[in-house]
Amino acid sequence: RFGVSKNAEGNVIVKCGKTEVACGIKMNVSTPYTDHEGEGTMMTAMELLPLASPNFEYGQPSIDSVEIARVVDRGIRESGFIDFGKLCIKEGEKVWSVYIDMATINDDGNLIDVGALAAILALMTARFPEYDEKTEKVKFGEFTDKPLPLNEDKLPLTITFFKMGNNLFVDPTREEEDCAEARLTMEISKTDGKTEMINAM
């Protein structure tokens, strides 16, 4: 479902089986990293809410939430899906920062793949907020028609394989995932619209 938040620059809720993840995109103007002064920045977070599972608790981000966020972040970043160069306002001084915030609504397994899909769809719906160059402030809640600069021919696909005995399977339920002996996540895109590239594994 799209349009679930009136305040986010892009937003979606993705449901796959009984697993449900919400994702919102927020954008702000900040100082670039010193080693990428002509590029915008991105931060990714996953909130494992207790309402989604009795295994989740409030407090500091868990190892699982940090891992999911990092895996999703890596797939998007390494694919070149976002054109970070076009997020530069003034090199070395001001760039757009993109914040990808995911949250679980219900956990029935495969949160990495569902979270990654939610992040991609939210990015594809994102629109820049109004920015006042005189005051150098973002007008939160006011949006332009300008979409986020995306390289859609490099759209990343995240797929996670689970091993149980001699079998490999995808999209497990929570019980199946908890019984798995190993897990492998691959993040794949196309570099020129044709050649497939493994961005992360």
Side-chain angles (χ1 to χ4, degrees), residues 32 56 95 123 126-127 140 163 179 184 196 198:
F56 303 153
V95 296
L123 287 168
R127 296 294 180 268
F140 292 108
K163 181 179 182 294
C179 293
L184 173 65
E196 294 179 353
I198 298 175

Side-chain angles (χ1 to χ4, degrees), residues 1-5 10-15 20-23 105 118 121-122 125:
R1 299 194 311 269
F2 296 99
V4 294
S5 169
N11 57 89
V12 69
I13 292 178
V14 171
K15 187 174 183 180
E20 201 166 357
V21 175
C23 183
I105 296 175
L121 292 173
T125 67

Side-chain angles (χ1 to χ4, degrees), residues 177-190:
E177 187 172 330
D178 288 343
C179 293
E181 301 161 23
R183 182 188 74 207
L184 173 65
T185 297
M186 298 179 68
E187 291 164 313
I188 304 166
S189 66
K190 294 188 176 182

Side-chain angles (χ1 to χ4, degrees), residues 145-163:
D145 292 327
K146 184 181 177 184
L148 201 60
L150 303 176
N151 297 311
E152 295 192 11
D153 59 333
K154 297 181 178 180
L155 188 149
L157 171 66
T158 300
I159 183 166
T160 303
F161 299 90
F162 293 82
K163 181 179 182 294

Side-chain angles (χ1 to χ4, degrees), residues 42-152:
M42 181 181 79
M43 292 187 68
T44 308
M46 168 60 98
E47 187 78 20
L48 300 180
L49 299 174
L51 65 84
S53 169
N55 297 324
F56 303 153
E57 297 179 355
Y58 285 114
Q60 292 285 339
S62 67
I63 292 174
D64 290 336
S65 67
V66 172
E67 180 187 26
I68 294 169
R70 286 182 176 174
V71 171
V72 172
D73 185 288
R74 182 60 60 86
I76 295 169
R77 192 181 300 274
E78 296 300 325
S79 67
F81 182 57
I82 298 176
D83 191 336
F84 288 104
K86 291 182 179 177
L87 294 177
C88 181
I89 299 171
K90 189 173 182 180
E91 187 169 344
E93 293 185 21
K94 290 184 292 184
V95 296
W96 284 102
S97 293
V98 179
Y99 300 91
I100 302 173
D101 292 309
M102 300 171 287
T104 53
I105 296 175
N106 192 60
D107 172 29
D108 191 37
N110 202 25
L111 284 175
I112 292 176
D113 293 359
V114 179
L117 179 58
I120 293 300
L121 292 173
L123 287 168
M124 293 177 75
T125 67
R127 296 294 180 268
F128 280 90
E130 292 283 356
Y131 175 64
D132 190 328
E133 293 187 9
K134 291 183 180 179
T135 62
E136 298 185 341
K137 290 189 177 181
V138 174
K139 296 180 180 179
F140 292 108
E142 297 181 30
F143 308 111
T144 68
D145 292 327
K146 184 181 177 184
L148 201 60
L150 303 176
N151 297 311
E152 295 192 11

